[in-house]
Amino acid sequence: MSAIRLLVLGAVRQHGRAHGYQVRNDLEYWGAHEWSNTKPGSIYHALKQMAKQGVLHAHEVAPSAAGGPPRTEYEVTDAGREEYFRLLREALAAYDQKTDVLSAAIGFMVDLPREDVLGLLRERLAKLAGWRSSVTDYYTPEGGPEELGHIGEIMHMWVHSADAEAEWTRGLIARIEGGAYSFAGEGGEPFVGVLAEGQENPYA
């Protein structure tokens, strides 16, 4: 899965309607240009491609009084909403996605009900345990990596990664079970992660 598709759909959805510069500004505000491949060119390309695919609807907006070409604003379609939630659920439950995809999913997880997120994260834990077991069928961590020569360091890294990912996931589950954050349908005050029109982006 590509993180940019989830990020762009989620960013447009948060605004209701957004032009390319707003999406770019939001993603830079979240630091996505540091932890993913969401560079300006890829954002504008994704917006145009997704409009062609019908997951976004492009609105031509009249040019500003200052002149310049018409600006295009984008809105998530019904098909786009369906894809957005599919990508979000898939990313939260997966154990083998790149870090940028998981990071994007964590950024949007509050768009789902709390119990759904908990279920998806528990599914992720189970998959991590299964992946770890598949490695330890061939490698015994207690014996140390040296028993397999330097190649054992590869399996040692995999097991260490699985353990670290599982520990982080259990911590997130505990925080969510403890009432952290405001999820869909709860009526609480959601965290605002978008910049208002004209608001300066301190991280741009």
Side-chain angles (χ1 to χ4, degrees), residues 1-11 84 87-88 91 101 104-105 108:
M1 185 200 301
S2 164
I4 193 163
R5 199 168 180 89
L6 178 56
L7 283 166
V8 169
L9 280 171
Y84 169 68
L87 291 173
L88 180 54
V101 175
F108 294 123

Side-chain angles (χ1 to χ4, degrees), residues 41-91:
S42 60
I43 292 168
Y44 293 114
H45 177 73
L47 287 164
K48 288 176 184 173
Q49 281 296 108
M50 287 195 277
K52 284 181 187 173
Q53 293 162 357
V55 293
L56 292 176
H57 179 72
H59 299 271
E60 284 279 312
V61 179
S64 67
R71 191 168 65 183
T72 304
E73 289 188 345
Y74 297 90
E75 185 175 12
V76 179
T77 63
D78 288 343
R81 272 185 287 278
E82 189 177 310
E83 170 141 359
Y84 169 68
F85 284 110
R86 180 186 66 76
L87 291 173
L88 180 54
R89 290 173 182 278
E90 187 181 306

Side-chain angles (χ1 to χ4, degrees), residues 119-178:
L120 292 164
L121 291 172
R122 290 182 187 121
E123 186 180 331
R124 182 173 197 270
L125 266 184
K127 288 175 179 174
L128 280 166
W131 178 53
R132 188 188 194 280
S133 293
S134 71
V135 175
T136 55
D137 282 347
Y138 305 97
Y139 167 66
T140 308
E142 295 74 21
E146 297 89 346
E147 61 186 306
L148 296 175
H150 72 281
I151 302 302
E153 293 292 349
I154 299 170
M155 294 184 185
H156 190 66
M157 178 182 68
W158 288 344
V159 170
H160 182 79
S161 297
D163 290 344
E165 290 273 348
E167 182 183 357
W168 174 82
T169 305
R170 282 192 292 269
L172 179 57
I173 288 170
R175 289 187 290 280
I176 294 171
E177 285 177 332

Side-chain angles (χ1 to χ4, degrees), residues 6-24:
L6 178 56
L7 283 166
V8 169
L9 280 171
V12 172
R13 185 178 175 276
Q14 286 193 337
H15 282 282
R17 255 171 83 153
H19 53 80
Y21 181 74
Q22 282 176 303
V23 173
R24 173 187 167 184

